[in-house]
């Protein structure tokens, strides 16, 4: 009896392992536009895509950093592969159109749009001041409206290629976080928009995938710096940040699988989301507790 149970368990594990595998070769020659790719997770995504044979356009504001990323893509991928950059500021909605047009011209079309950039904001309480309201406008423009504008301009090209839109969101886009009001709001809004758009695509029988990425704590330079500035050393030690490169690879996998949503690190993010469904007070309590352990 127990032998059968063990055999079935091993079968399930092997199944999961096989199922979790993904065929990198499907990305060969794919045309990819990545926003916020001068640092952090976006930068690491560029190197993975390059190594898998994709053609890439990276965008962010800092031209010098983008040049360095393009040079490193060439090292990671084919020396004569196509790796380019466009410097642009996503607080300006007019540039979302030029970025998409330039990228499509450079690549001769578009298969994958990775929406990943965010504006940096400190962890501070909301008190309804004029300053707070001004920052809110800025965050919603960059983290939310620019994503919608970029996706809208790219949609006809992605429809043509039966491609994918990858939306990098956060655990903070599923569970409200203290001291991150504007950021959390912008990520919740992405869920609302893109989950609705996905429905319309299905109704239209339009073969494009939209993957919403629910990301936990990743040790990018900026995220560690912001938490340290806010005196959240406890949170850093408690949650143990995952590597930006691993996060980038998991996001790429989610896109290839055309998953509806992906979670990374899975066991940091998914259990607490399930908890939220049935025990929201407990979920909130845990979140508050983590953020209020500062000395
Ligand atoms: N790190 C984490 O712990 C974590 C957790 C959950 C979710 N995420 C999500 O993962 C994604 C990447 O996060 P990350 O930590 O890798 O971020 P990051 O290192 O701070 O990178 C942000 C990127 O956005 C660009 N950017 C900032 N403002 C911009 C603007 N106005 N216009 C155009 N580009 C702009 C930055 O480049 P320039 O300064 O050169 O413009 C940079 O390339 C984000 O969507 C984030 O919400 C991260
Ligand atoms: C918000 O806090 C600042 C100081 O931190 C204070 O000057 C201001 O009056 C507060 N605003 C509101 C609306 O409470
Ligand atoms: C809100 O405004 C106050 C004072 O104006 C500031 O100290 C605080 O950092 C702001 N917080 C956010 C989340 O914008």
């Amino acid at each position: 009896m127990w032998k059968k149970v063990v055999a079935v368990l091993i079968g399930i594990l092997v199944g999961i392992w096989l199922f979790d595998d993904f065929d990198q070769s499907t990305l060969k020659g794919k045309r990819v536009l990545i926003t916020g790719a001068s640092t952090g997770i976006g930068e690491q995504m560029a190197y993975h895509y390059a190594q898998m044979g994709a053609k890439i356009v990276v965008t962010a504001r800092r031209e010098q950093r983008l040049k360095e990323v393009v040079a490193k893509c060439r090292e990671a991928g084919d020396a004569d592969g196509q790796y380019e950059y466009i410097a642009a500021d996503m607080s300006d909605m007019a540039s979302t159109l030029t970025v998409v047009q330039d990228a499509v011209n450079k690549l001769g079309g578009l298969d994958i749009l990775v929406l990943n950039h965010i504006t940096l904001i400190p962890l501070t309480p909301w008190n309804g001041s004029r300053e707070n309201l001004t920052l809110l406008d800025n965050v919603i423009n960059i983290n939310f409206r620019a994503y919608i504008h970029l996706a809208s301009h790219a949609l006809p090209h992605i429809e043509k290629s039966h491609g994918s839109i990858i939306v990098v969101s956060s655990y903070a886009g599923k569970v409200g976080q203290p001291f991150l009001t504007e950021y959390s709001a912008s990520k919740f809004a992405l869920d609302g928009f893109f989950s609705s758009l996905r429905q319309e695509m299905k109704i239209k029988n339009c073969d494009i995938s939209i993957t919403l990425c629910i990301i936990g704590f990743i040790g990018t330079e900026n995220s560690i710096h912001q938490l340290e500035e806010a005196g959240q050393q406890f949170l850093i030690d408690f949650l143990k940040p995952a590597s930006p490169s691993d996060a980038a690879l998991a996001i790429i996998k989610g896109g290839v699988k055309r998953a509806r949503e992906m979670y990374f690190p899975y066991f940091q993010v998914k259990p607490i989301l399930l908890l939220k469904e049935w025990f929201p007070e407990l979920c909130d309590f845990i979140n508050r507790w983590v953020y209020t352990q500062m000395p």
Side-chain angles (χ1 to χ4, degrees):
M1 171 62 190
W2 62 269
K3 278 186 189 159
K4 276 186 191 161
V5 173
V6 170
V8 167
L9 282 179
I10 291 176
I12 290 172
L13 288 178
V14 168
I16 290 173
W17 179 72
L18 284 176
F19 189 69
D20 191 53
D21 211 21
F22 83 116
D23 186 6
Q24 297 195 0
S25 67
T26 58
L27 287 171
K28 199 156 179 53
K30 286 282 181 314
R31 300 153 298 181
V32 186
L33 169 60
I34 313 170
T35 75
S38 63
T39 53
I41 300 170
E43 176 188 0
Q44 296 303 319
M45 289 184 77
Y47 304 146
H48 284 298
Y49 274 125
Q51 190 251 321
M52 295 170 193
K55 299 176 186 176
I56 305 166
V57 172
V58 288
T59 179
R61 286 167 307 177
R62 285 168 295 171
E63 187 165 6
Q64 190 48 43
R65 291 211 60 134
L66 290 172
K67 279 186 186 163
E68 289 162 21
V69 172
V70 163
K72 284 204 210 159
C73 281
R74 202 149 277 133
E75 281 170 29
D78 266 344
D80 52 353
Q82 194 183 359
Y83 312 111
E84 311 209 40
Y85 70 86
I86 302 167
D89 187 338
M90 290 298 112
S91 63
D92 171 18
M93 294 309 127
S95 358
T96 63
L97 179 58
T98 50
V99 164
V100 170
Q101 281 174 339
D102 281 4
V104 166
N105 288 339
K106 285 178 197 290
L107 299 171
L110 193 61
D111 297 290
I112 302 171
L113 171 65
V114 183
L115 299 168
N116 165 78
H117 68 270
I118 43 160
T119 186
L120 264 191
I121 43 172
L123 276 87
T124 46
W126 176 271
N127 88 336
S129 64
R130 188 178 289 271
E131 196 191 324
N132 289 171
L133 294 168
T134 308
L135 182 60
L136 174 74
D137 287 350
N138 201 32
V139 171
I140 293 296
N141 273 333
I142 298 171
N143 292 12
F144 176 64
R145 289 185 63 225
Y147 277 43
I148 312 298
H149 284 240
L150 287 160
S152 304
H153 303 316
L155 213 49
H157 306 285
I158 297 178
E159 277 190 55
K160 204 187 278 175
S161 62
H162 307 289
S164 308
I165 300 177
I166 297 176
V167 182
V168 182
S169 182
S170 168
Y171 172 65
K174 291 282 188 187
V175 179
Q177 302 296 304
F179 314 127
L180 283 170
T181 40
E182 297 106 327
Y183 173 76
S184 197
S186 69
K187 294 299 196 186
F188 266 78
L190 289 174
D191 192 349
F193 183 86
F194 283 99
S195 299
S196 306
L197 184 66
R198 189 192 293 113
Q199 295 283 62
E200 290 190 17
M201 293 295 129
K202 300 239 163 158
I203 289 171
K204 283 205 306 180
N205 261 329
C206 176
D207 182 25
I208 78 160
S209 64
I210 298 180
T211 302
L212 188 71
C213 306
I214 311 304
I215 306 297
F217 180 26
I218 312 301
T220 59
E221 235 173 83
N222 282 339
S223 73
I224 300 275
H225 178 77
Q226 295 300 83
L227 286 171
E228 280 173 355
E229 285 284 290
Q232 294 285 359
Q233 191 59 47
F234 174 82
L235 199 151
I236 300 174
D237 299 338
F238 180 78
L239 283 181
K240 302 207 176 43
S243 102
S245 172
D246 290 351
L249 189 58
I251 292 169
I252 292 174
K253 261 193 201 182
V256 168
K257 290 182 183 167
R258 301 175 86 81
R260 187 178 180 281
E261 292 190 348
M262 63 75 69
Y263 310 89
F264 182 86
Y266 189 86
F267 287 105
Q268 185 192 101
V269 173
K270 192 69 182 180
I272 194 123
L273 293 182
L274 293 174
L275 189 70
K276 184 197 166 181
E277 224 39 46
W278 280 19
F279 306 103
E281 301 281 359
L282 179 59
C283 172
D284 283 354
F285 173 81
I286 294 170
N287 273 273
R288 273 201 308 280
W289 181 80
V290 171
Y291 278 99
T292 47
Q293 297 307 306
M294 45 186 147

